[in-house]
Amino acid sequence: MKFVYPAIFHKNEQGIYQGYFPDLECCYAQGDTLEEAVDNANEAARVWLSAELEDENPQLPPVTDRQDIETKEGDTVRNIAVTIRFYEGWDE
């Protein structure tokens, strides 16, 4: 199953790119470059979603439309796509 959530990235004063997901509570990533931060965000989202899906009653948040995301100057918004493969018996 494929999930796509927007993430917002901003370069801080130390030159590190930090990112967060408006829809995934406490899901953050960072990297020395924007590309590295996006890669790390993909892994962070995969871990977050996998943990939620393992819950007895998963509650995946709705996806915020990109045009509804408030950004600051210098912010970059990227859609992060995560594919999670479900195996036989995953819902038992």
Side-chain angles (χ1 to χ4, degrees):
M1 183 174 276
K2 189 174 200 174
F3 301 93
V4 180
Y5 282 94
I8 300 171
F9 297 92
H10 189 84
K11 191 173 187 179
N12 68 18
E13 294 173 0
Q14 291 77 33
I16 302 294
Y17 284 88
Q18 297 176 312
Y20 71 95
F21 292 85
D23 302 316
L24 306 180
E25 186 176 344
C26 298
C27 188
Y28 306 99
Q30 69 179 23
D32 291 332
T33 65
L34 180 57
E35 182 178 301
E36 184 178 306
V38 168
D39 287 345
N40 292 338
N42 185 282
E43 178 63 14
R46 187 192 64 74
V47 169
W48 194 101
L49 292 164
S50 293
E52 185 62 34
L53 290 168
E54 288 176 3
D55 193 13
E56 197 171 304
N57 224 357
Q59 300 290 319
L60 296 179
V63 177
T64 301
D65 289 333
R66 191 174 182 139
Q67 65 266 16
D68 293 336
I69 297 174
E70 292 185 30
T71 58
K72 300 175 187 167
E73 185 177 335
D75 284 352
T76 300
V77 179
R78 294 283 175 91
N79 283 327
I80 304 299
V82 176
T83 301
I84 297 177
R85 297 175 196 254
F86 295 108
Y87 298 98
E88 186 175 329
W90 74 272
D91 60 347
E92 294 178 1

